[in-house]
Each structure stands twice: as C-alpha cells, then as structure tokens.
Amino acid sequence: ERQFAAAPLSRERATTRWNRRRSFGLAEAAHGGTLFIHEIANLSMSAQRRVLDLLDGKWVNRHGNARGVTIDVRLIVATRHSLQALRTSCRLLPDLLDRFLPNELEIPPLRERGHDVELLACHLVEELAERNCQARPRFSDEARRTLVQHDWPGNLRELRAILEGAMWLRPGDVIEAHHLACAPRSSSSRPDTG
C-alpha cells in the first residue's frame, strides 16, 4: 500500500508554467515488462480500483495531467490467502477476483515441497556468496537433512534469513547443521541455567 501511495501508477508535476517534470509511477516504469504486486488483498479498495483500471484499459492517468498514458505491462499478483477466502471476506474487489480466478496458480509452502528446499537453499547460498564476494559454500549431508526436515513456517523469508546467518557462522567452505538456526539443539549444547 505504501508503494502505491508513495509512487502512484503514473504522475506528472509542473515545475514551472512551461516546464513539466515527469517521474514514472509503478505501472509506467514497468512498461514493456512485469509489475508484481505482493499481497494484493492488503491494498485499499481505491488502490484496487486503480489496478482494475490498469487491467481494463491498459492505460493509466498521470496524477497532475488529464491525459492517459497507454502502457503494455504484465501484471502478477500474489497473496497467501485463497482467492475463494478473499471472496468470502470481501477483501478484494469482485471484478478483480473474476480476473484472477481463471489464472490462479497455487504454489505450495516449503513444508510441502520436500527436496525443493535443497535446490532453493543452494540457489540462495550462491546468490548470497556472490553478493558478499565470498566463495560458494556447500552443505554437509546433515545440514541437507535438517533443511528438508524443517517445517518452514516462515517460508522463503525464513529460509533466506537462516542461510544468511549460516553464511557468517561457517568457519570454512561447508555449512554444517549446527550453523543453521533451524537445526534442533541437543540438550548438551544448551547452556546450564542451574
């Protein structure tokens, strides 16, 4: 919601009577590409109406200008709620729901995806290593088992956070199970609070 308030779909502002300064809004900046809206159900009804206008006409009105701008953008929206639940709770405009339902793609949570967690973890570690100019570490067998067996209530955000921590905790080029914050702790490794 803050992104829509801070950066409207398109805007134009007069700096002087003869000079107009234009800054691209979210949809106009995405022209020729993809606009991803995370948690569409959290948008206000007015922001949802603007998204609906974008879908209906493939154009946006610039704030500060009466002329509309034609854009070519692919829209992808996400929500952690089922679309049927959103229909029941009236948190999403019915017209938007009608547009989204035929194209719904359900992605199961990590806890239901077994060994996909390993693939994601390897990809994320490679990305983190490159961003921090580090050598890409590998996972021990025990660390791999720990990743697959964990429930992942925080989904991808939790996996990313745990891997970021493990990248800094590992002394060498191997991530061990005890480097992962999701690893079960044995009673012998807990401090004595006696």
Side-chain angles (χ1 to χ4, degrees):
E1 181 67 36
R2 282 182 284 159
Q3 282 183 319
F4 270 77
L9 297 178
S10 187
R11 66 178 166 218
E12 188 166 313
R13 182 178 58 181
T15 53
T16 67
R17 201 168 101 179
W18 299 278
N19 182 17
R20 287 188 126 7
R21 191 177 114 211
R22 192 175 73 171
S23 58
F24 293 113
L26 294 175
E28 200 171 349
H31 177 68
T34 303
L35 176 61
F36 176 71
I37 301 174
H38 179 69
E39 278 307 333
I40 185 79
N42 290 347
L43 291 180
S44 68
M45 289 297 167
S46 65
Q48 289 182 31
R49 277 188 215 91
R50 288 188 299 198
V51 171
L52 188 58
D53 289 343
L54 174 64
L55 287 172
D56 280 344
K58 291 289 187 184
W59 62 275
V60 291
N61 273 333
R62 284 195 183 127
H63 290 266
N65 189 331
R67 291 177 294 147
V69 177
T70 303
I71 58 168
D72 177 22
V73 65
R74 176 186 307 121
L75 181 67
I76 298 176
V77 298
T79 182
R80 64 177 162 233
H81 308 287
S82 80
L83 294 180
Q84 292 301 335
L86 292 174
R87 180 184 296 274
T88 305
S89 67
C90 299
R91 290 182 51 201
L92 204 58
L93 289 173
D95 287 347
L96 273 179
L97 272 169
D98 292 340
R99 301 277 169 60
F100 297 152
L101 278 171
N103 301 308
E104 182 179 15
L105 174 64
E106 188 173 330
I107 300 174
L110 283 181
R111 68 180 163 273
E112 295 176 11
R113 293 172 51 195
H115 290 282
D116 283 355
V117 174
E118 281 186 70
L119 296 172
L120 282 168
C122 288
H123 172 74
L124 289 172
V125 160
E126 187 173 322
E127 204 175 76
L128 289 166
E130 186 176 314
R131 183 175 48 185
N132 296 316
C133 299
Q134 298 175 332
R136 186 174 66 90
R138 60 183 177 80
F139 291 97
S140 70
D141 290 340
E142 186 182 354
R144 287 180 185 276
R145 279 192 299 278
T146 299
L147 290 170
V148 170
Q149 292 170 356
H150 185 63
D151 239 3
W152 301 110
N155 255 327
L156 192 57
R157 285 187 185 106
E158 180 184 10
L159 177 61
R160 184 184 310 273
I162 285 173
L163 293 175
E164 283 177 351
M167 290 288 289
W168 295 110
L169 289 174
R170 66 183 169 87
D173 64 343
V174 177
I175 294 177
E176 300 287 348
H178 65 273
H179 297 139
L180 302 170
C182 63
R185 307 285 183 227
S186 66
S187 58
S188 63
S189 66
R190 292 188 187 133
D192 187 16
T193 58

